[in-house]
Amino acid sequence: MIFAEIHASRLASQPALQGQEPIELTVVVPTFNERDNICPLAERLRVALSGISWQVIFVDDNSADGTAQVVKRLANDDPRVMCLHRIGRRGLAGAVLEGVMASAAPVVAVIDADLQHDETILPGMLGLIRSGEAELVVGSRYLTPEGLDTGLSPMRLAGSRVATWIARLVLRAEVSDPVSGFFMIRRDLVERVAPRLSSQGFKVLFDIIASQPEKLKIAEVPYAFAERQAGDSKLDGRVVIEYLGLILSKLTRNVVPPRALLFGIVGSTGLLVHFAALYLCRWLGLTFIISQTLAALTAMTSNFLINNQVTYRDRRLKGWRLFTGYLRFCALCGLGLVANVAIADLVHQVTPLWWLAGASGAIFGAIWNYVGTSLAVW
Ligand code: GDD
Ligand code: MN
């Protein structure tokens, strides 16, 4: 009896035609620890999108703060709300992509959960796509003077400016905010490039534009970037390096994988570790041979641990697999060293340029280490 009443009242509170009218717009919201932002955002979407047949898919990477549970509670009351609850995975780009792929609507929008993006411009964006004026509409922070002085710290603003500048250079497209996390696009345009998109990093929009076989019709709608309401930003130094890695990858037409840059940077920190360890061993009075061996082992170990923590954060090895992975890493890097010396020696036999020989060996060794460990360790 009570159940029937609840059921009836729930039906009454539902949007009239839900389930009969096809959904025109799917709003994809990637979330990671955004518990307190879910209900306010859903409420704002309801208001902004009244009169449109829409749904929202929250893609949550099993946030520890219980974001997914909040979304599911909401979904019980409103069938337009859905939760894509991902386990054992992390990453903004991958989350956005999965949300888009889960949609059957002709148009999808992507918006941050933290209320920094202005949802009231969504109907205007949809209008541009409906009319065929645009295939992709980007919410842009840079078109209004107000857009500039809210939300971002001076440091973030400068970083964002540089990222935008590089992206425009690479894309050769006239987009004032190509790294925006707020945009709307025809779903088929994402699906056709989906296999080529990177699931790492933050720059989903950049990747979607860069991967298109033909030039897209792009429109921009200005909005003012707001202050984050609750929770913390997940954009950190690693995200920036990943972004540079992605650009490098696009510039080389996917020859250099996005992770390679990060792997290379970690590799160079190994050099510092090596010299620090060597200095310490010498200071302790160990012989040079012993010191150099210990230093190399220390550098290799620190490289392994940092790569496991940072470069391969999404595939991090733990427990017993951390140990076997470490052994494999050392074996491969050892082989890489032998190949490095052999190649350098070969080159040295045909040219007197010692630095060219050295660099050839080092580059071969680095590629070997990257490819080998990415296949056999992570
Ligand atoms: N599922 C999932 N997994 N969601 C994530 C992850 C993740 O690993 N990392 C971040 N998110 C979600 C956040 O919960 C938030 O809803 C949204 O993605 C954006 O993350 P923020 O941490 O708020 O990013 P930001 O505000 O610092 O960065 C903004 O500006 C960038 C350009 O400078 C975002 O709009 C970015 O998308 C944009 O590229
Ligand atoms: Mn944000």
Side-chain angles (χ1 to χ4, degrees):
M1 183 59 202
I2 291 176
F3 174 78
E5 262 170 35
I6 292 173
H7 197 67
S9 79
R10 190 199 287 178
L11 277 181
S13 70
Q14 271 175 21
L17 291 172
Q18 189 63 46
Q20 289 156 21
E21 206 180 337
I23 294 166
E24 184 181 14
L25 172 69
T26 300
V27 181
V28 173
V29 187
T31 59
F32 196 69
N33 292 333
E34 302 284 3
R35 183 185 56 201
D36 299 331
N37 291 321
I38 301 301
C39 293
L41 177 65
E43 194 44 49
R44 287 186 189 197
L45 288 176
R46 281 188 198 113
V47 175
L49 298 174
S50 70
I52 294 168
S53 173
W54 62 280
Q55 68 177 167
V56 56
I57 303 181
F58 289 91
V59 188
D60 185 65
D61 289 355
N62 204 25
S63 306
D65 74 346
T67 302
Q69 286 67 36
V70 175
V71 175
K72 287 175 191 180
R73 224 173 295 139
L74 211 60
N76 275 325
D77 295 327
D78 188 340
R80 293 173 300 192
V81 178
M82 248 175 282
C83 183
L84 227 158
H85 191 160
R86 307 203 304 167
I87 304 290
R89 276 178 289 169
R90 253 317 290 282
L92 176 54
V96 166
L97 193 61
E98 273 190 47
V100 172
M101 299 309 275
S103 159
V107 184
V108 290
V110 179
I111 189 170
D112 282 2
D114 53 16
L115 313 172
Q116 290 189 287
H117 297 156
D118 180 4
E119 76 294 337
T120 63
I121 67 170
L122 285 168
M125 294 165 97
L126 184 61
L128 289 167
I129 293 190
R130 272 183 186 156
S131 71
E133 234 170 288
E135 297 166 313
L136 162 68
V137 188
V138 182
S140 175
R141 290 168 289 186
Y142 295 124
L143 294 176
T144 52
E146 315 88 75
L148 291 179
D149 51 32
T150 46
L152 292 180
S153 66
M155 187 63 188
R156 270 295 300 269
L157 184 63
S160 186
R161 275 294 169 85
V162 173
T164 302
W165 179 76
I166 302 177
R168 266 191 242 166
L169 218 69
V170 176
L171 291 176
R172 274 177 257 113
E174 264 321 302
V175 196
S176 62
D177 197 356
V179 294
S180 170
F182 185 26
F183 59 93
M184 190 183 286
I185 187 168
R186 265 179 28 208
R187 184 173 50 86
D188 61 306
L189 298 176
V190 182
E191 275 189 10
R192 73 174 178 188
V193 296
R196 267 175 277 154
L197 298 178
S198 161
S199 60
Q200 304 162 51
F202 262 49
K203 306 308 167 192
V204 198
L205 176 62
F206 170 85
D207 203 10
I208 291 174
I209 301 176
S211 306
Q212 293 295 325
E214 292 131 41
K215 226 175 159 154
L216 290 182
K217 268 196 265 178
I218 307 178
E220 294 188 275
V221 176
Y223 74 96
F225 198 60
E227 206 88 50
R228 193 178 235 286
Q229 303 291 318
D232 303 307
S233 169
K234 285 98 207 164
L235 195 149
D236 51 19
R238 187 193 116 110
V239 169
V240 175
I241 295 173
E242 271 176 359
Y243 172 55
L244 295 176
L246 180 62
I247 287 183
L248 190 69
S249 164
K250 290 295 161 196
L251 277 177
T252 57
R253 299 194 174 268
N254 299 329
V255 171
V256 177
R259 251 184 246 264
L261 184 69
L262 203 52
F263 191 84
I265 292 175
V266 174
S268 357
T269 67
L271 210 60
L272 291 179
V273 173
H274 184 101
F275 281 111
L278 188 59
Y279 183 83
L280 187 74
C281 291
R282 295 296 289 157
W283 181 77
L284 287 172
L286 300 175
T287 67
F288 183 77
I289 284 282
I290 301 247
S291 301
Q292 173 72 357
T293 310
L294 285 178
L297 279 174
T298 312
M300 205 144 70
T301 307
S302 101
N303 273 4
F304 172 74
L305 292 175
I306 300 177
N307 274 319
N308 192 48
Q309 208 66 26
V310 181
T311 318
Y312 292 98
R313 170 162 72 175
D314 51 333
R315 303 184 203 163
R316 197 173 286 165
L317 305 174
K318 289 182 189 127
W320 178 247
R321 294 191 50 227
L322 181 72
F323 179 68
T324 57
Y326 173 62
L327 294 184
R328 267 198 294 269
F329 184 86
C330 293
L332 278 163
C333 293
L335 273 177
L337 183 65
V338 173
N340 172 341
V341 174
I343 298 262
D345 188 41
L346 266 178
V347 177
H348 199 225
Q349 282 169 20
V350 295
T351 164
L353 302 173
W354 60 268
W355 55 267
L356 184 65
S360 311
I363 289 171
F364 182 86
I367 294 175
W368 166 276
N369 286 353
Y370 175 75
V371 175
T373 58
S374 85
L375 291 175
V377 180
W378 284 284

